Amino acid sequence: MKKITKQNRYKRIISQIEELIQKTTDPLARMSTIAAVLHHKFDYYFWTGFYRLMEKELTVCCYQGSVACLVLEKHKGVCWTVVDEQKTQIVEDVSKFPGHIACDSRSASEIVVPVWKDDKIVAVLDVDSKKLDSFDEIDAEYLEKIVNLIYK
Ligand code: SME
């Protein structure tokens, strides 16, 4: 996908999500809506969803795609790296990411962004693709903007 096509699509999606989620401040309703909208707008999105950080566990929440791991082994894999390093991870090839947790062996690349509430990470948004190298700085920039809407 061309950079400009991707940027324009994310811009339209942000407006759509803003309008949809204003009906409630419930974070779970907002996360469900974000996962559903994103998942159906990009053909490279294979699994799209949130893990919430609760009682020091990353537990799956609202998602679209195949059945996922319910609780992620602590301090291992991409999602925990985001929590531990407090920043977005773009993984071009999951087989080269030490400790990657494969909930579905068809996933080939992945992006995970933190969801902040005040100054704490309370969840992560995880997107997997069946193709290698699907995600770049544009996905990171817009996904970070989108998840920032959850607690606004
Ligand atoms: N791959 C993730 C686990 C979650 S699934 O991709 C849905 C990880 O390594 O943390």
Side-chain angles (χ1 to χ4, degrees), residues 47 51 68 72 76-80 99-103 110 126 128:
W47 191 92
Y51 279 86
L72 300 177
K76 195 183 167 217
V78 190
C79 294
W80 266 108
H100 170 260
I101 299 168
C103 301
E110 180 165 3
D126 181 2
D128 290 5

Side-chain angles (χ1 to χ4, degrees), residues 16-26 29-31 33-34 146 148-152:
Q16 190 189 355
I17 288 173
E18 271 173 335
E19 200 182 320
L20 285 166
I21 67 172
Q22 68 181 351
K23 296 192 174 61
T24 176
T25 55
D26 174 37
R30 288 181 162 188
M31 287 183 201
T33 303
I34 289 169
I146 289 168
N148 279 340
L149 299 171
I150 297 167
Y151 288 98
K152 265 205 174 146

Side-chain angles (χ1 to χ4, degrees), residues 9-19 141-142 145-146 149:
R9 193 170 300 177
Y10 273 119
K11 282 179 190 162
R12 284 200 301 276
I13 289 171
I14 289 189
S15 311
Q16 190 189 355
I17 288 173
E18 271 173 335
E19 200 182 320
E141 179 190 341
Y142 286 95
K145 283 185 183 157
I146 289 168
L149 299 171

Side-chain angles (χ1 to χ4, degrees), residues 87-88 112-114 139-149:
K87 62 176 176 35
T88 294
V112 181
V113 306
D139 299 276
E141 179 190 341
Y142 286 95
L143 292 178
E144 285 171 6
K145 283 185 183 157
I146 289 168
V147 299
N148 279 340
L149 299 171

Side-chain angles (χ1 to χ4, degrees), residues 12-100:
R12 284 200 301 276
I13 289 171
I14 289 189
S15 311
Q16 190 189 355
I17 288 173
E18 271 173 335
E19 200 182 320
L20 285 166
I21 67 172
Q22 68 181 351
K23 296 192 174 61
T24 176
T25 55
D26 174 37
L28 295 185
R30 288 181 162 188
M31 287 183 201
S32 305
T33 303
I34 289 169
V37 172
L38 286 171
H39 193 73
H40 294 99
K41 296 286 182 188
F42 291 98
D43 56 8
Y44 58 95
Y45 275 49
F46 167 64
W47 191 92
T48 314
F50 291 87
Y51 279 86
R52 285 195 295 161
L53 186 60
M54 298 181 306
E55 292 169 18
K56 298 187 181 163
E57 301 268 22
L58 274 175
T59 306
V60 80
C61 168
C62 335
Y63 68 95
Q64 301 267 323
S66 51
V67 175
C69 314
L70 269 74
V71 181
L72 300 177
E73 190 182 327
K74 279 182 191 168
H75 309 294
K76 195 183 167 217
V78 190
C79 294
W80 266 108
T81 302
V82 168
V83 172
D84 290 337
E85 295 186 5
Q86 310 224 312
K87 62 176 176 35
T88 294
Q89 295 286 324
I90 297 171
V91 183
E92 289 170 25
D93 179 350
V94 296
S95 71
K96 296 195 174 126
F97 190 96
H100 170 260

